[in-house]
Every structure is written in structure tokens, then in C-alpha cells.
Amino acid sequence: MPEPLTDQVVTVCFSPGEDADWFAASEKVHDLLHVSGTPARRYHVRHRRLIGWLTRFLGYYLLDATRRFGAVTLAAGGRKSRLDLTGTAAKAANDAALRWRAWNTHINATTKPARPWEDYLAQHHVDPAKVTLYEARRRFEQQPRVLAMLAGCFDPYELSVYQAGEATYVGLYWRIALIGDALITTDGRLLAPASDSVADQFRFLNEACAYVRSLRSSARLCAVAIA
């Protein structure tokens, strides 16, 4: 079963003509988040229909590209026009759909709906002395559906997204594949979720996806996995 994307990744955007090598991306991440990072090869590389037979072997306008049988297939970033953002999103959507359908067959069809982790975490925040974090976690994980997810190697802390349906689960993951966990704009602004809630994740990802769509084809992107 395909694994979900779990690395913490920051997408760094560069204006056309701006220095956009790996060191520049790493410096922007360090300045805003005070962490170091490494290139994250997340993007599929685009090969145009007519000249793709040639460009598939060339790594120009790409950052930290990797090859398969000599052809460039993945990169940590590069010129927007060279990155196959549609293919990247489609691959993530397909993997997420497979995970959700497996969950639907083995968990959803055999167990009763459960309360998501966010409900128990809220109880802890309301009265930490009465409901410790340990107790909140214990109450959450003793639910039959959560135990079944743990046994089946599904992440129970994604329960609210699984229970929201296939379209919601898939929609979250294809956005994550394109953006990651935060985005640095060309003018140095940091976009990130306001909280850990799924709703805030979607708000951030929708804003970030719209921003990336608005960038010119000559702009550059770089995905940085932060430590």
C-alpha cells in the first residue's frame, strides 16, 4: 500500500531572473524558519510532446534532478515550465485514493465511526489538569476503529480526513504534494496553516496553490525538506 507523504517540506518560490539555486532556497528557509534543510525531490519533470525526446535527457532549469534509465524524472525544483505540476498532483491523488479505498474496505466497512483526535485534544486544552495529554491520547486510541487503524498501518490521527470521504482525503494529499507544509513567496512572505486543524490546512493549501498558479512559467520553485 502506498505510504502517505510525511516529510515536513517548505516550497520556496523565486521570481523570474532571480538567483534560484539550492543555496538561495536554503538561505530563505533558514532566515524565516531558523531551520536547515535538504532538497526534496517531489516534482515530476515535464517533457514537451514535440521535443520531449531530447529534453528528457537534459537537466537544464532543474534543481537536484534524478534520472531513471538516463532520463530526468524527478527534481527538487526548477523553472515552473519544466515541472510537471499536473502529473505530480495526479500521482499523489492516485496514491491517496488507493489508501482511502483500502481504509474504506478494511476499516470503514468493519468498524463504527469514531471521534477524531481533535475532539480529545480539545478536551485537554479546556482542562489540562483533568484531561492530561496522556489521558486524551489513551481515550482516543482505545476506540475500536482507531485500534483497527493502528493494526492496519493506517495513521489514526488522519481519522477526521478519512471519515470526511474519498474526495476530501484525495484533495488534501494532491495539494500537499504540490505545496508541502509551508510556502515562501517571491517577496519573502511565509504562508502556513494557522493551526493544526484540517480546515486550516485546506485554507492554507488553497491559498498556496492559487499563488503558485499565478506565477509566471519562468518563475522557479524549490522544495526543501526541513530538519
Side-chain angles (χ1 to χ4, degrees), residues 2 44 85-99 173-174 177:
H44 290 265
L85 300 182
T86 300
T88 300
K91 175 65 166 56
N94 182 68
D95 289 348
L98 292 176
R99 284 197 303 278
Y173 270 97
W174 71 253

Side-chain angles (χ1 to χ4, degrees), residues 194-217:
S195 73
D196 292 334
S197 74
V198 177
D200 279 337
Q201 273 189 287
F202 269 113
R203 291 187 186 98
F204 152 68
L205 289 168
N206 287 339
E207 180 184 4
C209 284
Y211 179 81
V212 170
R213 280 197 300 271
S214 73
L215 294 174
R216 294 171 57 183
S217 61

Side-chain angles (χ1 to χ4, degrees), residues 133-212:
L133 188 60
Y134 173 83
E135 176 62 17
R137 195 178 302 276
R138 186 194 68 79
R139 292 180 183 181
F140 169 65
E141 291 182 346
Q142 73 177 0
Q143 298 178 99
R145 171 163 289 188
V146 174
L147 289 173
M149 291 180 70
L150 286 168
C153 297
F154 296 94
D155 185 356
Y157 294 91
E158 290 186 337
L159 178 61
S160 60
V161 194
Y162 275 113
Q163 291 187 155
E166 181 178 356
T168 301
Y169 187 83
V170 170
L172 177 65
Y173 270 97
W174 71 253
R175 289 169 171 84
I176 290 175
L178 292 178
I179 304 299
D181 302 280
L183 181 139
I184 298 175
T185 65
T186 58
D187 58 355
R189 291 180 296 117
L190 176 66
L191 304 183
S195 73
D196 292 334
S197 74
V198 177
D200 279 337
Q201 273 189 287
F202 269 113
R203 291 187 186 98
F204 152 68
L205 289 168
N206 287 339
E207 180 184 4
C209 284
Y211 179 81
V212 170

